[in-house]
Amino acid sequence: MQFLDIQDSLKFLKDKNLIPIVDKVLDEKRLSFEDGVTLFNTNDLLTLGSLANYVTEKKNGKYAYFVMNRQINPTNVCTLDCKFCAFADMDKNSPKAYEMDYEQIIEKAKYAIENGATEVHIVGGLHPDWDFERYLNIVAILRKNFPDLHIKAFTAVEIDYLSQLSNLSYEEVLIKLKEVGLNSLPGGGAEIFSPRVRRIIAPTKIGWKKYLEIHKIAHRLGLHSTTTMLYGHVETKEERVDHMLKVREAQDETGGFTCFIPLAYQPENNDLEITEHTSGIDDLKTIAVSRLILDNVPHIKAYWVMIGEKVAQVALNFGADDMDGTVMEEKIAHFAGAKSPTQQQKDRLIRLIKEAGKIPVERDTLYKHIKVYE
Ligand code: V47
């Protein structure tokens, strides 16, 4: 049936350059760098979307996932100087700077659990005065208070910082975090892997090799993770495809990524001169191309916070099968001008997914079904 559907859709193919790519996808062959660039350059959006949706439905049927979660950002004080970031502050005495104590973090997690959350997603700045114990204790106290909560915490960038603070290897840092209760790593900090782009947008942040090395070590220790790509600023389409191929190669080695999340650049209150939001067309193309290139990554997320509810909903027919979740308190994108709400209600996520013609599934962090809303 799915095969018939895709054959029907392809009757409307307009861009002949897509024919060899369609053949490869139907034959389950891997797409190349050149294929990725061709897909980004096509204006045949409906063929691209149909093809990506075909792959999604082959992998995950009509299911589209959401998670009951809360983001917690313990501090925005950060030693890094990322030009796209409107959230962090290098000056801990600036009026915008904040740091949460343990009680505040526990309060936020408690409120989240009372409202149905199964996951906390914790990321923050590289605080110059915090030591390794402080970061470790955030996980430890959450675990002590909430034994069943999934703690998804600290990007690869933070893990690198903790390794510097503690003089421990990446592996040792991750083992210690795991021992006190860490369950998985979030995907932030990837930006675009291209060194050219990183020199412009994130000159002091770790490079792509360390980012992927940390994720691969985590995977080998039995921790799953997600991975991201920040697009819509100074990068080229070629650099996006190269980024995806590097993720695909790492995933071939370990298989530990659960999901790929394209993050649409938000242009306000930062130091980049790019002042435009990404377009809906670019958001949909980026989701679809990532679905088609990343044949070994189980899920693609349409992060409603950064692309807005409406585009995220359409993206569920362009290769995405996940909407992230309730989030409850989003700061990073909203400091930078995101127009979406800062949180979602479960009922609304269910409605958005149903309207897109998909079956909503409340999942846990690792995509185990909690409830299917047929
Ligand atoms: O690491 C920062 C990005 C990330 C901006 O792992 C920006 O499931 C757009 O990683 N415009 C944090 N993006 C968010 C993130 C994330 C979100 C949802 C789910 C998951 C997951 C991860 O946001 C940062 C950075 O890459 N970011 N500033 C900005 N102006």
Side-chain angles (χ1 to χ4, degrees):
M1 184 57 196
Q2 270 170 7
F3 185 71
L4 284 179
D5 284 350
I6 187 75
Q7 295 293 342
D8 275 350
S9 312
L10 295 176
K11 282 188 198 141
F12 299 102
L13 182 139
K14 283 189 294 190
D15 179 355
K16 302 259 177 305
N17 293 324
L18 297 185
I19 292 173
I21 301 179
V22 170
D23 287 343
K24 276 191 186 177
V25 172
L26 296 183
D27 292 345
E28 296 189 15
K29 294 210 180 99
R30 270 211 154 158
L31 300 191
S32 65
F33 173 81
E34 290 73 22
D35 294 332
V37 176
T38 302
L39 289 170
F40 266 119
N41 287 335
T42 189
N43 288 320
D44 192 349
L45 196 64
L46 294 184
T47 301
L48 175 61
S50 302
L51 204 57
N53 188 52
Y54 165 76
V55 172
T56 307
E57 294 200 354
K58 258 182 102 173
K59 280 186 187 293
N60 298 301
K62 291 252 176 218
Y63 292 142
Y65 297 90
F66 68 95
V67 61
M68 297 294 291
N69 66 349
R70 174 176 193 138
Q71 292 191 11
I72 302 178
N73 309 118
T75 180
N76 68 344
V77 180
C78 188
T79 56
L80 293 179
D81 183 19
C82 300
K83 307 299 179 195
F84 57 83
C85 184
F87 163 73
D89 207 313
M90 290 179 80
D91 176 6
K92 64 181 179 189
N93 298 315
S94 106
K96 192 184 123 201
Y98 73 85
E99 29 188 289
M100 293 177 193
D101 57 28
Y102 298 133
E103 283 68 33
Q104 285 171 301
I105 294 171
I106 290 176
E107 259 323 294
K108 284 180 188 288
K110 183 164 172 280
Y111 175 85
I113 292 166
E114 283 165 3
N115 285 280
T118 58
E119 166 193 294
V120 283
H121 172 177
I122 302 177
V123 292
L126 310 184
H127 195 300
D129 299 340
W130 286 13
D131 57 13
F132 179 45
E133 296 303 313
R134 177 84 179 248
Y135 287 88
L136 202 63
N137 282 341
I138 290 175
V139 177
I141 54 155
L142 284 173
R143 175 56 64 232
K144 192 163 152 263
N145 283 276
F146 311 110
D148 300 327
L149 182 65
H150 185 107
I151 303 174
K152 168 168 153 179
F154 305 141
T155 65
V157 179
E158 287 161 292
I159 301 298
D160 175 78
Y161 185 56
L162 298 186
S163 156
Q164 292 174 41
L165 288 180
S166 61
N167 279 320
L168 296 172
S169 67
Y170 294 152
E171 183 170 356
E172 288 164 332
V173 167
L174 288 164
I175 289 173
K176 285 204 178 293
L177 286 165
K178 201 175 167 215
E179 278 169 0
V180 296
L182 182 77
N183 297 109
S184 67
L185 295 189
E191 322 319 350
I192 286 275
F193 288 155
S194 151
R196 179 194 77 84
V197 176
R198 287 183 106 74
R199 275 195 293 277
I200 301 168
I201 69 165
T204 55
K205 188 170 258 178
I206 56 167
W208 70 273
K209 285 190 183 151
K210 284 188 177 171
Y211 174 93
L212 285 178
E213 184 191 344
I214 290 166
H215 280 270
K216 287 191 283 185
I217 294 170
H219 298 165
R220 292 193 182 103
L221 292 171
L223 296 165
H224 282 87
S225 68
T226 52
T227 186
T228 59
M229 178 182 79
L230 176 67
Y231 68 96
H233 41 90
V234 301
E235 86 290 358
T236 63
K237 301 294 182 289
E238 286 78 4
E239 284 161 338
R240 292 188 198 178
V241 176
D242 175 69
H243 182 112
M244 292 174 192
L245 292 177
K246 287 188 164 70
V247 169
R248 187 171 81 182
E249 205 176 298
Q251 180 75 337
D252 277 344
E253 286 180 48
T254 62
F257 290 123
T258 54
C259 181
F260 180 76
I261 308 139
L263 298 173
Y265 169 69
Q266 310 296 315
E268 291 175 22
N269 306 318
N270 66 22
D271 293 335
L272 281 185
E273 279 166 21
I274 316 294
T275 53
E276 293 286 326
H277 282 267
T278 57
S279 70
I281 300 285
D282 197 16
D283 296 334
L284 292 174
K285 276 189 178 179
T286 308
I287 297 259
V289 177
S290 55
R291 179 60 290 162
L292 292 166
I293 296 274
L294 294 169
D295 53 9
N296 54 1
V297 175
H299 305 281
I300 304 290
K301 192 178 285 187
Y303 187 40
W304 60 264
V305 168
M306 292 194 188
I307 56 177
E309 288 174 356
K310 291 183 182 179
V311 176
Q313 200 179 25
V314 179
L316 294 178
N317 282 281
F318 273 74
D321 65 302
D322 186 48
M323 288 194 84
D324 198 80
T326 44
V327 175
M328 291 187 196
E329 188 182 18
E330 206 290 327
K331 290 190 192 325
I332 296 174
H334 284 86
F335 277 34
K339 307 285 180 244
S340 55
T342 55
Q343 57 175 299
Q344 279 291 348
Q345 298 304 319
K346 180 179 183 167
D347 290 351
R348 188 166 176 84
L349 286 169
I350 292 170
R351 200 198 90 198
L352 290 172
I353 294 171
K354 279 194 173 162
E355 277 179 1
K358 301 284 170 152
I359 303 167
V361 180
E362 183 189 342
R363 61 167 175 89
D364 70 7
T365 309
L366 302 181
Y367 290 84
K368 199 161 104 322
H369 290 198
I370 293 177
K371 185 162 180 192
V372 180
Y373 293 84
E374 291 283 2

